[in-house]
Amino acid sequence: MDFVRKLVPVFLFASCVLLVTINDNRVEASHRIYSRLQSVPAGEVKQLHRTAYHFQPPQHWINDPNGPMYFNGLYHLFYQYNPKGSVWGNIVWAHSISKDLINWEALPHAIFPSKPFDVNGTWSGSVTILPGNRPVILYTGLDNDKRQIQNYAVPANVSDPYLREWLKPDDNPLVLPGSDMNASQFRDPTTAWWHGGHWRMVVGGKRKHRGMAWLYRSNDFKHWVKAKHALHSASQTGMWECPDFFPVSLHGKNGLDTSKVGEDVKHVFKVSLDETRYEYYTVGKYDPEGDIYLPDNTSVDGRDGLRLDYGNFYASKTFFDPSKNRRILWGWANESDTADDDTAKGWAGIQAIPREVWLSPDGKQVLQWPVAELETLRGQKVDLKSIQNMIPGKLVEVKGITAAQADVDVTFSLASLDKAEEFDPNWEKLDAESVCALKRSHVQGGVGPFGLATLASQNLEEFTPVFFRVFKTKDNKHKVLMCSDAKGSTLRPFDIKQYRPSFAGYVDVDLAAEKKISLRSLIDHSVVESFAAGGKTCILSRVYPTLAVNDAAHLFVFNNGTEPVSVQTLSAWSMSPPKLMNQNLNF
């Protein structure tokens, strides 16, 4: 099969933006609402692209993971949910529990609009566990004046192991926006941390075009005072949604309690940029006495900075898991095309696989890896024998597994980098996605493109390639591009409502020294979630094939570079669905 000929380029003409930014002090709406899709009967839910092992309710819209936590032997996931339809609207805090982060049981909704301080919305927030093992939800409510204000909720019965019922005391709200602040750009309180006799929390905001992490302090968790200065801010970044602030150890993978400070600790500050719909983070030092966070000189704020995931991933949240001494990251991957009556599936959005997160040995970025519990779903295994010197156009199918529902881990080895393409200096002005769109998997290179063709039809009429391409810069260093390209993922006609980007990011790896690079991809019907070089660069894509579905899906390894590439190791597993995936959500 001529792999070069089969990879046909297609192009993205438009994308959709889910949030509408409002610049005055009123909140008319913050999301586009499709009232005609607010109610889709369960019997009409289509299962063709429904995920099997990524977290998802039986039907309807979900978004941000609000306040995941570990409490009394159970993992709790709270998330934004529309109980009435497959698009954003009518948002409540849905609540599910698990013993293993894999099998989930749905509980009654934790909080929903019901009081004057949240009558127009119960939006994102977090959970803090206070001394005495007392969890408290912090969340953003929309009051009668449609201001974004910060509230709290507590368990009705803390001895209930499931924490089924939550109360919103009448002494809410905790925090109101100041008269000099934009009341429509003030939301998503973080998990609080304790130091020097006071609790601290951050609320995301915006001042003109400057992103703000407003800092508040309290000695009793009820009376909060705004600090004189923000914890952190950055110009020309726009609204900072869903901020997250947490410590990471300088030594090893162990997670840290959110209140941990010290010389052996760095901090990570993450924001979701409303203007780009992507997430960015910096690594730096937190001064707990001055309550200031300063990014290292290797980290930059805003759209030129590091991203937790270079794909369809937003509104993430971390929490400390004391049972296994780790920090876990969770993010939301939106359904990309439910704005159309013809494509509404009755459900929209998933949560990414929970990831363990820790600081890289060089201290410049965080590493991420799927939680080990995911491996309990592995079934039939295939080990592909070492394939030496895959020549240009070489295509090898990985058989013997369910390619539409799989976990595949491959390591490529490179004999030589001599033929790496020159990196065009003009590309320095472009983001990685733009370079990937120019240098897609059908464009032959020197070292690469090589990687996996996932969710592929037998004759490659449609497929989602996840691949690497190596460039050489003017100073004779190597730049490694990772792409997850959705443009050829489906034969469905292109229109303005389709979103098929060339997701991409660069991988900070010294190929000249290591001569190899690994790739792990979690394939789940409409999800391809990939981790390069042990979690240095991650990309989650949502795709909707028409031919490559269920048993008709295939998985290939390919090389389309002139330099031969070898498969050093490849292991792939069929993935079983969990025994329990958030069923009985009928509240």
Side-chain angles (χ1 to χ4, degrees), residues 12 14-19 21 64 187-188 236-244 269-282 300-317 329-334 336 355 430-437 482 484-487 498-505 538-542:
L12 180 70
S15 62
C16 62
V17 177
L18 296 174
L19 292 190
T21 301
D64 311 2
R187 55 184 176 269
D188 310 334
Q236 303 304 315
T237 54
M239 173 63 194
W240 282 1
E241 294 191 301
C242 304
D244 197 13
F269 178 74
K270 186 277 306 183
V271 294
S272 304
L273 285 196
D274 192 27
E275 291 184 353
T276 67
R277 309 305 299 159
Y278 294 137
E279 296 204 304
Y280 304 83
Y281 74 93
T282 56
V300 297
D301 286 299
R303 61 189 70 199
D304 293 326
L306 296 167
R307 284 166 53 181
L308 290 174
D309 192 292
Y310 290 83
N312 198 353
F313 186 92
Y314 197 73
S316 68
K317 192 73 181 174
L329 167 73
W330 230 324
W332 163 53
N334 180 40
S336 64
R355 306 172 182 178
L430 302 178
D431 57 25
E433 287 184 10
S434 299
V435 178
C436 180
M482 175 190 180
S484 183
D485 190 359
K487 285 194 173 70
Q498 299 280 326
Y499 185 45
R500 304 179 194 174
S502 300
F503 285 132
C538 309
I539 302 179
L540 189 154
S541 292
R542 299 299 310 274

